[in-house]
Structures are given as C-alpha cells and as structure tokens.
PDB file of all heavy atoms in Angstrom:
ATOM      1  N   GLN A   1       1.123 -40.465 -80.612  1.00 92.00           N
ATOM      2  CA  GLN A   1       0.724 -39.072 -80.271  1.00 92.00           C
ATOM      3  C   GLN A   1       1.671 -38.514 -79.157  1.00 92.00           C
ATOM      4  O   GLN A   1       2.009 -37.290 -79.133  1.00 92.00           O
ATOM      5  CB  GLN A   1      -0.698 -38.944 -79.878  1.00 92.00           C
ATOM      6  CG  GLN A   1      -1.694 -39.176 -81.099  1.00 92.00           C
ATOM      7  CD  GLN A   1      -3.099 -39.154 -80.569  1.00 92.00           C
ATOM      8  OE1 GLN A   1      -3.437 -39.596 -79.445  1.00 92.00           O
ATOM      9  NE2 GLN A   1      -4.018 -38.561 -81.404  1.00 92.00           N
ATOM     10  N   MET A   2       2.088 -39.354 -78.228  1.00 93.00           N
ATOM     11  CA  MET A   2       2.991 -38.893 -77.126  1.00 93.00           C
ATOM     12  C   MET A   2       4.440 -38.647 -77.689  1.00 93.00           C
ATOM     13  O   MET A   2       5.139 -37.840 -77.184  1.00 93.00           O
ATOM     14  CB  MET A   2       3.066 -39.945 -76.087  1.00 93.00           C
ATOM     15  CG  MET A   2       1.803 -40.152 -75.193  1.00 93.00           C
ATOM     16  SD  MET A   2       1.574 -38.839 -74.010  1.00 93.00           S
ATOM     17  CE  MET A   2       2.714 -39.315 -72.821  1.00 93.00           C
ATOM     18  N   TYR A   3       4.770 -39.336 -78.714  1.00 93.00           N
ATOM     19  CA  TYR A   3       6.139 -39.326 -79.349  1.00 93.00           C
ATOM     20  C   TYR A   3       6.528 -37.834 -79.692  1.00 93.00           C
ATOM     21  O   TYR A   3       7.484 -37.296 -79.147  1.00 93.00           O
ATOM     22  CB  TYR A   3       6.194 -40.197 -80.544  1.00 93.00           C
ATOM     23  CG  TYR A   3       7.585 -40.352 -81.113  1.00 93.00           C
ATOM     24  CD1 TYR A   3       8.564 -41.114 -80.489  1.00 93.00           C
ATOM     25  CD2 TYR A   3       7.970 -39.788 -82.314  1.00 93.00           C
ATOM     26  CE1 TYR A   3       9.860 -41.266 -81.050  1.00 93.00           C
ATOM     27  CE2 TYR A   3       9.171 -39.921 -82.848  1.00 93.00           C
ATOM     28  CZ  TYR A   3      10.102 -40.687 -82.288  1.00 93.00           C
ATOM     29  OH  TYR A   3      11.424 -40.774 -82.760  1.00 93.00           O
ATOM     30  N   PRO A   4       5.777 -37.154 -80.541  1.00 91.00           N
ATOM     31  CA  PRO A   4       6.238 -35.746 -80.841  1.00 91.00           C
ATOM     32  C   PRO A   4       5.827 -34.695 -79.821  1.00 91.00           C
ATOM     33  O   PRO A   4       6.512 -33.690 -79.550  1.00 91.00           O
ATOM     34  CB  PRO A   4       5.522 -35.499 -82.229  1.00 91.00           C
ATOM     35  CG  PRO A   4       4.308 -36.320 -82.233  1.00 91.00           C
ATOM     36  CD  PRO A   4       4.750 -37.525 -81.345  1.00 91.00           C
ATOM     37  N   THR A   5       4.748 -35.025 -79.132  1.00 93.00           N
ATOM     38  CA  THR A   5       4.176 -34.090 -78.152  1.00 93.00           C
ATOM     39  C   THR A   5       4.903 -33.988 -76.873  1.00 93.00           C
ATOM     40  O   THR A   5       5.188 -32.972 -76.252  1.00 93.00           O
ATOM     41  CB  THR A   5       2.789 -34.398 -77.786  1.00 93.00           C
ATOM     42  OG1 THR A   5       2.034 -34.544 -79.082  1.00 93.00           O
ATOM     43  CG2 THR A   5       2.074 -33.248 -77.043  1.00 93.00           C
ATOM     44  N   VAL A   6       5.463 -35.180 -76.364  1.00 95.00           N
ATOM     45  CA  VAL A   6       6.166 -35.225 -75.084  1.00 95.00           C
ATOM     46  C   VAL A   6       7.599 -35.690 -75.296  1.00 95.00           C
ATOM     47  O   VAL A   6       8.522 -34.960 -74.921  1.00 95.00           O
ATOM     48  CB  VAL A   6       5.368 -36.097 -74.118  1.00 95.00           C
ATOM     49  CG1 VAL A   6       6.159 -36.345 -72.807  1.00 95.00           C
ATOM     50  CG2 VAL A   6       3.988 -35.693 -73.883  1.00 95.00           C
ATOM     51  N   TYR A   7       7.768 -36.900 -75.712  1.00 95.00           N
ATOM     52  CA  TYR A   7       9.154 -37.553 -75.731  1.00 95.00           C
ATOM     53  C   TYR A   7      10.119 -36.842 -76.784  1.00 95.00           C
ATOM     54  O   TYR A   7      11.314 -36.844 -76.469  1.00 95.00           O
ATOM     55  CB  TYR A   7       9.027 -38.998 -76.121  1.00 95.00           C
ATOM     56  CG  TYR A   7       8.160 -39.725 -75.126  1.00 95.00           C
ATOM     57  CD1 TYR A   7       7.045 -40.468 -75.650  1.00 95.00           C
ATOM     58  CD2 TYR A   7       8.199 -39.684 -73.844  1.00 95.00           C
ATOM     59  CE1 TYR A   7       6.236 -41.258 -74.965  1.00 95.00           C
ATOM     60  CE2 TYR A   7       7.386 -40.318 -73.020  1.00 95.00           C
ATOM     61  CZ  TYR A   7       6.347 -41.056 -73.488  1.00 95.00           C
ATOM     62  OH  TYR A   7       5.508 -41.734 -72.639  1.00 95.00           O
ATOM     63  N   MET A   8       9.606 -36.279 -77.801  1.00 95.00           N
ATOM     64  CA  MET A   8      10.569 -35.537 -78.821  1.00 95.00           C
ATOM     65  C   MET A   8      10.228 -34.062 -78.821  1.00 95.00           C
ATOM     66  O   MET A   8      10.549 -33.376 -79.842  1.00 95.00           O
ATOM     67  CB  MET A   8      10.316 -36.155 -80.140  1.00 95.00           C
ATOM     68  CG  MET A   8      10.835 -37.503 -80.317  1.00 95.00           C
ATOM     69  SD  MET A   8      12.579 -37.628 -80.316  1.00 95.00           S
ATOM     70  CE  MET A   8      12.899 -38.965 -79.163  1.00 95.00           C
ATOM     71  N   HIS A   9       9.661 -33.567 -77.851  1.00 96.00           N
ATOM     72  CA  HIS A   9       9.385 -32.040 -77.754  1.00 96.00           C
ATOM     73  C   HIS A   9      10.716 -31.342 -77.941  1.00 96.00           C
ATOM     74  O   HIS A   9      11.686 -31.654 -77.211  1.00 96.00           O
ATOM     75  CB  HIS A   9       8.699 -31.623 -76.428  1.00 96.00           C
ATOM     76  CG  HIS A   9       8.153 -30.215 -76.482  1.00 96.00           C
ATOM     77  ND1 HIS A   9       8.968 -29.186 -76.359  1.00 96.00           N
ATOM     78  CD2 HIS A   9       6.944 -29.795 -76.564  1.00 96.00           C
ATOM     79  CE1 HIS A   9       8.279 -28.098 -76.410  1.00 96.00           C
ATOM     80  NE2 HIS A   9       7.042 -28.460 -76.589  1.00 96.00           N
ATOM     81  N   PRO A  10      10.725 -30.372 -78.870  1.00 96.00           N
ATOM     82  CA  PRO A  10      12.016 -29.678 -79.189  1.00 96.00           C
ATOM     83  C   PRO A  10      12.724 -28.968 -77.992  1.00 96.00           C
ATOM     84  O   PRO A  10      13.882 -29.154 -77.751  1.00 96.00           O
ATOM     85  CB  PRO A  10      11.641 -28.538 -80.071  1.00 96.00           C
ATOM     86  CG  PRO A  10      10.393 -29.078 -80.876  1.00 96.00           C
ATOM     87  CD  PRO A  10       9.697 -29.878 -79.757  1.00 96.00           C
ATOM     88  N   VAL A  11      11.971 -28.430 -77.044  1.00 97.00           N
ATOM     89  CA  VAL A  11      12.600 -27.757 -75.979  1.00 97.00           C
ATOM     90  C   VAL A  11      13.228 -28.777 -74.911  1.00 97.00           C
ATOM     91  O   VAL A  11      14.373 -28.583 -74.404  1.00 97.00           O
ATOM     92  CB  VAL A  11      11.582 -26.933 -75.139  1.00 97.00           C
ATOM     93  CG1 VAL A  11      12.213 -26.297 -73.864  1.00 97.00           C
ATOM     94  CG2 VAL A  11      11.117 -25.661 -75.990  1.00 97.00           C
ATOM     95  N   SER A  12      12.488 -29.863 -74.675  1.00 97.00           N
ATOM     96  CA  SER A  12      13.024 -30.876 -73.720  1.00 97.00           C
ATOM     97  C   SER A  12      14.222 -31.588 -74.410  1.00 97.00           C
ATOM     98  O   SER A  12      15.148 -31.919 -73.646  1.00 97.00           O
ATOM     99  CB  SER A  12      12.001 -31.918 -73.273  1.00 97.00           C
ATOM    100  OG  SER A  12      11.375 -32.608 -74.317  1.00 97.00           O
ATOM    101  N   ARG A  13      14.205 -31.855 -75.679  1.00 98.00           N
ATOM    102  CA  ARG A  13      15.317 -32.399 -76.389  1.00 98.00           C
ATOM    103  C   ARG A  13      16.529 -31.545 -76.237  1.00 98.00           C
ATOM    104  O   ARG A  13      17.650 -32.056 -76.089  1.00 98.00           O
ATOM    105  CB  ARG A  13      14.981 -32.624 -77.864  1.00 98.00           C
ATOM    106  CG  ARG A  13      13.931 -33.752 -78.076  1.00 98.00           C
ATOM    107  CD  ARG A  13      14.388 -35.155 -77.834  1.00 98.00           C
ATOM    108  NE  ARG A  13      15.548 -35.660 -78.692  1.00 98.00           N
ATOM    109  CZ  ARG A  13      16.041 -36.764 -78.601  1.00 98.00           C
ATOM    110  NH1 ARG A  13      15.609 -37.629 -77.723  1.00 98.00           N
ATOM    111  NH2 ARG A  13      17.014 -37.098 -79.404  1.00 98.00           N
ATOM    112  N   ILE A  14      16.289 -30.184 -76.424  1.00 98.00           N
ATOM    113  CA  ILE A  14      17.514 -29.245 -76.249  1.00 98.00           C
ATOM    114  C   ILE A  14      18.084 -29.378 -74.955  1.00 98.00           C
ATOM    115  O   ILE A  14      19.266 -29.452 -74.731  1.00 98.00           O
ATOM    116  CB  ILE A  14      17.057 -27.843 -76.552  1.00 98.00           C
ATOM    117  CG1 ILE A  14      16.738 -27.621 -78.103  1.00 98.00           C
ATOM    118  CG2 ILE A  14      18.089 -26.830 -76.225  1.00 98.00           C
ATOM    119  CD1 ILE A  14      16.138 -26.305 -78.456  1.00 98.00           C
ATOM    120  N   ALA A  15      17.233 -29.272 -73.873  1.00 98.00           N
ATOM    121  CA  ALA A  15      17.726 -29.303 -72.529  1.00 98.00           C
ATOM    122  C   ALA A  15      18.384 -30.640 -72.262  1.00 98.00           C
ATOM    123  O   ALA A  15      19.507 -30.726 -71.586  1.00 98.00           O
ATOM    124  CB  ALA A  15      16.512 -29.137 -71.560  1.00 98.00           C
ATOM    125  N   GLU A  16      17.907 -31.741 -72.638  1.00 98.00           N
ATOM    126  CA  GLU A  16      18.490 -33.065 -72.431  1.00 98.00           C
ATOM    127  C   GLU A  16      19.768 -33.248 -73.210  1.00 98.00           C
ATOM    128  O   GLU A  16      20.722 -33.828 -72.750  1.00 98.00           O
ATOM    129  CB  GLU A  16      17.451 -34.156 -72.793  1.00 98.00           C
ATOM    130  CG  GLU A  16      16.374 -34.334 -71.799  1.00 98.00           C
ATOM    131  CD  GLU A  16      15.137 -35.148 -72.352  1.00 98.00           C
ATOM    132  OE1 GLU A  16      15.276 -35.772 -73.460  1.00 98.00           O
ATOM    133  OE2 GLU A  16      14.180 -35.188 -71.589  1.00 98.00           O
ATOM    134  N   CYS A  17      19.826 -32.643 -74.424  1.00 98.00           N
ATOM    135  CA  CYS A  17      21.128 -32.576 -75.125  1.00 98.00           C
ATOM    136  C   CYS A  17      22.251 -31.848 -74.362  1.00 98.00           C
ATOM    137  O   CYS A  17      23.354 -32.281 -74.347  1.00 98.00           O
ATOM    138  CB  CYS A  17      20.897 -32.009 -76.523  1.00 98.00           C
ATOM    139  SG  CYS A  17      22.238 -32.142 -77.665  1.00 98.00           S
ATOM    140  N   MET A  18      21.821 -30.750 -73.756  1.00 98.00           N
ATOM    141  CA  MET A  18      22.853 -29.956 -72.931  1.00 98.00           C
ATOM    142  C   MET A  18      23.199 -30.805 -71.746  1.00 98.00           C
ATOM    143  O   MET A  18      24.467 -30.850 -71.386  1.00 98.00           O
ATOM    144  CB  MET A  18      22.226 -28.722 -72.556  1.00 98.00           C
ATOM    145  CG  MET A  18      21.931 -27.732 -73.705  1.00 98.00           C
ATOM    146  SD  MET A  18      20.939 -26.238 -73.183  1.00 98.00           S
ATOM    147  CE  MET A  18      21.958 -25.419 -71.988  1.00 98.00           C
ATOM    148  N   LEU A  19      22.375 -31.425 -71.028  1.00 98.00           N
ATOM    149  CA  LEU A  19      22.615 -32.200 -69.888  1.00 98.00           C
ATOM    150  C   LEU A  19      23.512 -33.399 -70.252  1.00 98.00           C
ATOM    151  O   LEU A  19      24.400 -33.723 -69.555  1.00 98.00           O
ATOM    152  CB  LEU A  19      21.362 -32.765 -69.142  1.00 98.00           C
ATOM    153  CG  LEU A  19      21.511 -33.515 -67.971  1.00 98.00           C
ATOM    154  CD1 LEU A  19      22.200 -32.692 -66.808  1.00 98.00           C
ATOM    155  CD2 LEU A  19      20.210 -34.138 -67.441  1.00 98.00           C
ATOM    156  N   LYS A  20      23.247 -33.984 -71.338  1.00 98.00           N
ATOM    157  CA  LYS A  20      24.036 -35.149 -71.814  1.00 98.00           C
ATOM    158  C   LYS A  20      25.437 -34.694 -72.028  1.00 98.00           C
ATOM    159  O   LYS A  20      26.442 -35.363 -71.629  1.00 98.00           O
ATOM    160  CB  LYS A  20      23.361 -35.732 -73.077  1.00 98.00           C
ATOM    161  CG  LYS A  20      24.190 -36.919 -73.651  1.00 98.00           C
ATOM    162  CD  LYS A  20      23.651 -37.367 -74.976  1.00 98.00           C
ATOM    163  CE  LYS A  20      23.970 -36.413 -76.122  1.00 98.00           C
ATOM    164  NZ  LYS A  20      23.628 -36.889 -77.406  1.00 98.00           N
ATOM    165  N   ASN A  21      25.613 -33.600 -72.714  1.00 98.00           N
ATOM    166  CA  ASN A  21      27.014 -33.126 -72.935  1.00 98.00           C
ATOM    167  C   ASN A  21      27.787 -32.664 -71.758  1.00 98.00           C
ATOM    168  O   ASN A  21      29.012 -32.725 -71.674  1.00 98.00           O
ATOM    169  CB  ASN A  21      26.955 -32.037 -74.104  1.00 98.00           C
ATOM    170  CG  ASN A  21      26.744 -32.562 -75.551  1.00 98.00           C
ATOM    171  OD1 ASN A  21      27.757 -32.989 -76.075  1.00 98.00           O
ATOM    172  ND2 ASN A  21      25.627 -32.636 -76.005  1.00 98.00           N
ATOM    173  N   ALA A  22      26.988 -32.077 -70.792  1.00 98.00           N
ATOM    174  CA  ALA A  22      27.548 -31.674 -69.571  1.00 98.00           C
ATOM    175  C   ALA A  22      28.084 -32.973 -68.848  1.00 98.00           C
ATOM    176  O   ALA A  22      29.181 -32.879 -68.255  1.00 98.00           O
ATOM    177  CB  ALA A  22      26.504 -30.981 -68.707  1.00 98.00           C
ATOM    178  N   THR A  23      27.294 -33.975 -68.892  1.00 98.00           N
ATOM    179  CA  THR A  23      27.774 -35.335 -68.272  1.00 98.00           C
ATOM    180  C   THR A  23      28.976 -35.875 -68.940  1.00 98.00           C
ATOM    181  O   THR A  23      29.871 -36.338 -68.319  1.00 98.00           O
ATOM    182  CB  THR A  23      26.614 -36.187 -68.154  1.00 98.00           C
ATOM    183  OG1 THR A  23      25.358 -35.625 -67.557  1.00 98.00           O
ATOM    184  CG2 THR A  23      26.905 -37.503 -67.455  1.00 98.00           C
ATOM    185  N   LEU A  24      28.911 -35.876 -70.306  1.00 97.00           N
ATOM    186  CA  LEU A  24      30.045 -36.368 -71.005  1.00 97.00           C
ATOM    187  C   LEU A  24      31.370 -35.522 -70.648  1.00 97.00           C
ATOM    188  O   LEU A  24      32.343 -36.178 -70.682  1.00 97.00           O
ATOM    189  CB  LEU A  24      29.734 -36.200 -72.600  1.00 97.00           C
ATOM    190  CG  LEU A  24      28.824 -37.279 -73.125  1.00 97.00           C
ATOM    191  CD1 LEU A  24      28.421 -36.894 -74.578  1.00 97.00           C
ATOM    192  CD2 LEU A  24      29.364 -38.707 -73.062  1.00 97.00           C
ATOM    193  N   ASP A  25      31.207 -34.308 -70.406  1.00 97.00           N
ATOM    194  CA  ASP A  25      32.347 -33.413 -70.039  1.00 97.00           C
ATOM    195  C   ASP A  25      32.998 -34.008 -68.794  1.00 97.00           C
ATOM    196  O   ASP A  25      34.187 -34.101 -68.658  1.00 97.00           O
ATOM    197  CB  ASP A  25      31.859 -32.033 -69.947  1.00 97.00           C
ATOM    198  CG  ASP A  25      33.113 -31.047 -69.657  1.00 97.00           C
ATOM    199  OD1 ASP A  25      33.962 -30.858 -70.652  1.00 97.00           O
ATOM    200  OD2 ASP A  25      33.233 -30.615 -68.468  1.00 97.00           O
ATOM    201  N   ILE A  26      32.196 -34.181 -67.694  1.00 98.00           N
ATOM    202  CA  ILE A  26      32.722 -34.675 -66.377  1.00 98.00           C
ATOM    203  C   ILE A  26      33.240 -36.136 -66.521  1.00 98.00           C
ATOM    204  O   ILE A  26      34.016 -36.462 -65.692  1.00 98.00           O
ATOM    205  CB  ILE A  26      31.827 -34.466 -65.245  1.00 98.00           C
ATOM    206  CG1 ILE A  26      30.445 -35.195 -65.464  1.00 98.00           C
ATOM    207  CG2 ILE A  26      31.550 -32.914 -65.000  1.00 98.00           C
ATOM    208  CD1 ILE A  26      29.504 -35.076 -64.155  1.00 98.00           C
ATOM    209  N   LEU A  27      32.661 -36.870 -67.399  1.00 98.00           N
ATOM    210  CA  LEU A  27      33.155 -38.189 -67.580  1.00 98.00           C
ATOM    211  C   LEU A  27      34.584 -38.211 -68.232  1.00 98.00           C
ATOM    212  O   LEU A  27      35.506 -38.874 -67.919  1.00 98.00           O
ATOM    213  CB  LEU A  27      32.251 -39.048 -68.487  1.00 98.00           C
ATOM    214  CG  LEU A  27      30.935 -39.689 -67.854  1.00 98.00           C
ATOM    215  CD1 LEU A  27      29.961 -40.089 -68.870  1.00 98.00           C
ATOM    216  CD2 LEU A  27      31.319 -40.752 -66.858  1.00 98.00           C
ATOM    217  N   LYS A  28      34.637 -37.257 -69.264  1.00 96.00           N
ATOM    218  CA  LYS A  28      35.970 -37.107 -69.843  1.00 96.00           C
ATOM    219  C   LYS A  28      37.050 -36.569 -69.036  1.00 96.00           C
ATOM    220  O   LYS A  28      38.234 -36.993 -69.092  1.00 96.00           O
ATOM    221  CB  LYS A  28      35.694 -36.114 -71.098  1.00 96.00           C
ATOM    222  CG  LYS A  28      36.907 -35.884 -71.951  1.00 96.00           C
ATOM    223  CD  LYS A  28      36.592 -34.861 -73.076  1.00 96.00           C
ATOM    224  CE  LYS A  28      37.892 -34.625 -73.958  1.00 96.00           C
ATOM    225  NZ  LYS A  28      37.580 -33.584 -74.987  1.00 96.00           N
ATOM    226  N   GLU A  29      36.649 -35.636 -68.101  1.00 96.00           N
ATOM    227  CA  GLU A  29      37.642 -35.074 -67.102  1.00 96.00           C
ATOM    228  C   GLU A  29      37.956 -36.069 -66.014  1.00 96.00           C
ATOM    229  O   GLU A  29      38.847 -35.771 -65.157  1.00 96.00           O
ATOM    230  CB  GLU A  29      36.982 -33.771 -66.484  1.00 96.00           C
ATOM    231  CG  GLU A  29      36.818 -32.690 -67.544  1.00 96.00           C
ATOM    232  CD  GLU A  29      38.154 -32.200 -68.056  1.00 96.00           C
ATOM    233  OE1 GLU A  29      39.010 -32.090 -67.220  1.00 96.00           O
ATOM    234  OE2 GLU A  29      38.237 -31.791 -69.280  1.00 96.00           O
ATOM    235  N   GLY A  30      37.222 -37.233 -65.899  1.00 97.00           N
ATOM    236  CA  GLY A  30      37.485 -38.212 -64.972  1.00 97.00           C
ATOM    237  C   GLY A  30      36.883 -37.858 -63.494  1.00 97.00           C
ATOM    238  O   GLY A  30      37.226 -38.498 -62.516  1.00 97.00           O
ATOM    239  N   ILE A  31      35.948 -36.888 -63.547  1.00 98.00           N
ATOM    240  CA  ILE A  31      35.337 -36.465 -62.207  1.00 98.00           C
ATOM    241  C   ILE A  31      34.386 -37.660 -61.807  1.00 98.00           C
ATOM    242  O   ILE A  31      34.354 -37.967 -60.625  1.00 98.00           O
ATOM    243  CB  ILE A  31      34.538 -35.213 -62.507  1.00 98.00           C
ATOM    244  CG1 ILE A  31      35.540 -34.016 -62.821  1.00 98.00           C
ATOM    245  CG2 ILE A  31      33.797 -34.906 -61.163  1.00 98.00           C
ATOM    246  CD1 ILE A  31      34.846 -32.673 -63.150  1.00 98.00           C
ATOM    247  N   ILE A  32      33.759 -38.382 -62.697  1.00 98.00           N
ATOM    248  CA  ILE A  32      32.991 -39.525 -62.423  1.00 98.00           C
ATOM    249  C   ILE A  32      33.280 -40.579 -63.490  1.00 98.00           C
ATOM    250  O   ILE A  32      33.946 -40.299 -64.427  1.00 98.00           O
ATOM    251  CB  ILE A  32      31.513 -39.216 -62.439  1.00 98.00           C
ATOM    252  CG1 ILE A  32      30.985 -38.762 -63.898  1.00 98.00           C
ATOM    253  CG2 ILE A  32      31.085 -38.207 -61.329  1.00 98.00           C
ATOM    254  CD1 ILE A  32      29.547 -38.788 -63.947  1.00 98.00           C
TER     255      ILE A  32
END
C-alpha cells in the first residue's frame, strides 16, 4: 500500500527525476 501511495507517488517521482537529472548535469560538467 505504501508503494503507490508514497514511494511511487507521481509528483514526488517527477521532482526526484528532475533532481536526478540536475545532479547528472553537474557530474557531467565535472563540478562534482
């Protein structure tokens, strides 16, 4: 029940997808 309600909630998944890609960007740029 926690899986779709919390861990896979569409809004949090969208935000986490954005954060993940932001982090991949600074990794690619060599900032970290």
Side-chain angles (χ1 to χ4, degrees):
Q1 291 174 323
M2 292 284 282
Y3 186 75
T5 310
V6 176
Y7 305 128
M8 290 290 135
H9 191 285
V11 174
S12 60
R13 290 291 295 184
I14 289 171
E16 288 167 2
C17 189
M18 292 170 66
L19 182 64
K20 179 184 75 173
N21 280 279
T23 305
L24 285 171
D25 185 73
I26 59 174
L27 282 166
K28 183 180 178 182
E29 293 296 321
I31 296 172
I32 64 170

